[in-house]
Amino acid sequence: PKPILITPQVHGDARGYFFEPYNRNTFINKWGIDDVFVQDNESLSSRGVLRGLHYQIGEMAQAKLVRVAVGKVLDVVIDIRKSSPHFGSVYSYLL
């Protein structure tokens, strides 16, 4: 499947803001995502840092949910699955 860009609804006022980064029903009903999330990681990167490629196959394959709390990140996805109809496609998002 192709990447899905999800923009959460942020509710803000003078006190700050609130939003739901994940809601299973919203993911299923709005975006058709019914993956089971079994792990949640967070990292902090300094300006100019390049984080590595992530590739898994078979039972180790994982869907990725990328979120940027502060600043900007250029997230690039490359489909390297030879059997995929999207093989070789490159998607980039400024998050």
Side-chain angles (χ1 to χ4, degrees):
K2 294 168 63 172
I4 300 170
L5 183 60
I6 297 171
T7 304
Q9 185 176 13
V10 178
H11 306 278
D13 60 25
R15 300 169 294 173
Y17 67 87
F18 171 85
F19 76 100
E20 288 183 330
Y22 174 75
N23 178 300
R24 184 168 191 263
N25 288 332
T26 301
F27 272 48
I28 292 170
N29 297 325
K30 190 170 184 178
W31 296 296
I33 300 171
D34 194 15
D35 292 35
V36 175
F37 288 90
V38 296
Q39 183 175 335
D40 184 15
N41 302 322
E42 182 172 322
S43 67
L44 172 66
S45 300
S46 300
R47 183 181 176 105
V49 168
L50 175 65
R51 295 247 175 217
L53 287 172
H54 301 276
Y55 169 68
Q56 302 94 15
I57 58 173
E59 292 182 18
M60 299 303 291
Q62 297 178 0
K64 301 285 189 254
L65 177 61
V66 178
R67 181 172 62 118
V68 178
V70 177
K72 296 178 185 176
V73 167
L74 178 62
D75 190 38
V76 180
V77 178
I78 304 169
D79 191 341
I80 59 173
R81 301 168 298 169
K82 291 183 180 177
S83 62
S84 171
H86 304 287
F87 177 74
S89 295
V90 178
Y91 308 92
S92 65
Y93 303 92
L94 183 61
L95 307 175

